Amino acid sequence: MKHLNLLLLSVLLCASCKSPEARMPESVRSGSFLMESAERSKKLNATEQKLIENIIKNNPDIEYIASESGFWYFYNEKIENEANYPQFGDTVDFEYNVSNLEGTEIYGNSSKTYIMDKEELFTGLREGLKLMKPNERITFIFPSQKAFGYYGDDNKIGTNIPLICEVTLNSIIKNND
């Protein structure tokens, strides 16, 4: 009996010293989903680009400016003498309205106070405010990826909707930190 216990113990020791083996994955995924998603995004971007180019072409008397961030804008009211732009942490007070590319109003004139880059605001508007001086009024045209993108705003703005926003920057309160 003693020999049997010793034999059993040595078999268990040998079996427990075996190194772990790698398991094969149950399913192999290719990058096809990501490639298809990227292709859909490229097509969507091209379609929106054509729509925006048509708006610009149909308004030859307006001087549109292409931003480095991927949206377009023009000045309704431009302030020439001030160089006071909002910076990180500054508090800005602004008014805005939002419409789709056909000009249908989505949100009427709204007022908002926003702390630059410290609060939630959709990408295009956040970047657009950085281009503004107090008392300027600018109209921005944002492709959907600079607006609310794939998710929309869970209210009136749906999936992949490019937007036109007219924004008036009322004031900038500088952060003294």
Side-chain angles (χ1 to χ4, degrees):
M1 182 79 160
K2 189 174 187 179
H3 293 293
L4 184 61
N5 285 340
L6 192 57
L7 180 64
L8 201 57
L9 182 63
S10 61
V11 169
L12 282 173
L13 283 174
C14 288
S16 66
C17 294
K18 183 179 171 188
S19 62
E21 292 181 20
R23 295 183 297 161
M24 296 301 293
E26 291 181 17
S27 65
V28 178
R29 292 185 180 206
S30 67
S32 65
F33 174 78
L34 293 177
M35 292 186 325
E36 289 170 8
S37 178
E39 196 59 38
R40 278 191 308 270
S41 293
K42 287 177 185 178
K43 287 179 184 177
L44 175 67
N45 192 25
T47 302
E48 290 179 5
Q49 181 79 18
K50 287 178 186 175
L51 291 171
I52 292 170
E53 286 173 359
N54 283 338
I55 291 172
I56 293 170
K57 186 175 79 174
N58 292 333
N59 294 294
D61 53 326
I62 297 175
E63 183 182 337
Y64 286 89
I65 301 165
S67 76
E68 293 178 6
S69 301
F71 58 86
W72 292 261
Y73 64 99
F74 68 87
Y75 287 91
N76 301 83
E77 294 176 32
K78 185 173 183 171
I79 305 297
E80 297 289 343
N81 58 356
E82 287 187 44
N84 186 21
Y85 296 99
Q87 303 295 320
F88 177 83
D90 292 347
T91 302
V92 295
D93 178 57
F94 64 97
E95 296 173 15
Y96 67 105
N97 60 52
V98 179
S99 60
N100 61 22
L101 292 185
E102 290 80 35
T104 304
E105 188 175 87
I106 299 172
Y107 291 112
N109 206 22
S110 302
S111 294
K112 183 159 179 71
T113 301
Y114 168 70
I115 300 174
M116 294 299 295
D117 298 324
K118 289 189 173 186
E119 296 178 337
E120 285 293 317
L121 195 63
F122 71 88
T123 306
L125 187 53
R126 184 175 61 239
E127 293 169 358
L129 285 169
K130 293 176 184 178
L131 302 172
M132 298 183 74
K133 301 175 208 168
N135 301 314
E136 280 188 329
R137 189 165 50 103
I138 296 179
T139 299
F140 297 97
I141 303 176
F142 299 116
S144 63
Q145 72 268 18
K146 288 294 178 179
F148 289 93
Y150 178 75
Y151 296 103
D153 74 343
D154 294 328
N155 194 6
K156 294 182 179 181
I157 300 172
T159 299
N160 296 324
I161 304 294
L163 300 174
I164 297 175
C165 294
E166 186 179 306
V167 181
T168 303
L169 181 60
N170 296 323
S171 66
I172 300 172
I173 300 170
K174 289 294 186 185
N175 180 9
N176 293 328
D177 290 346

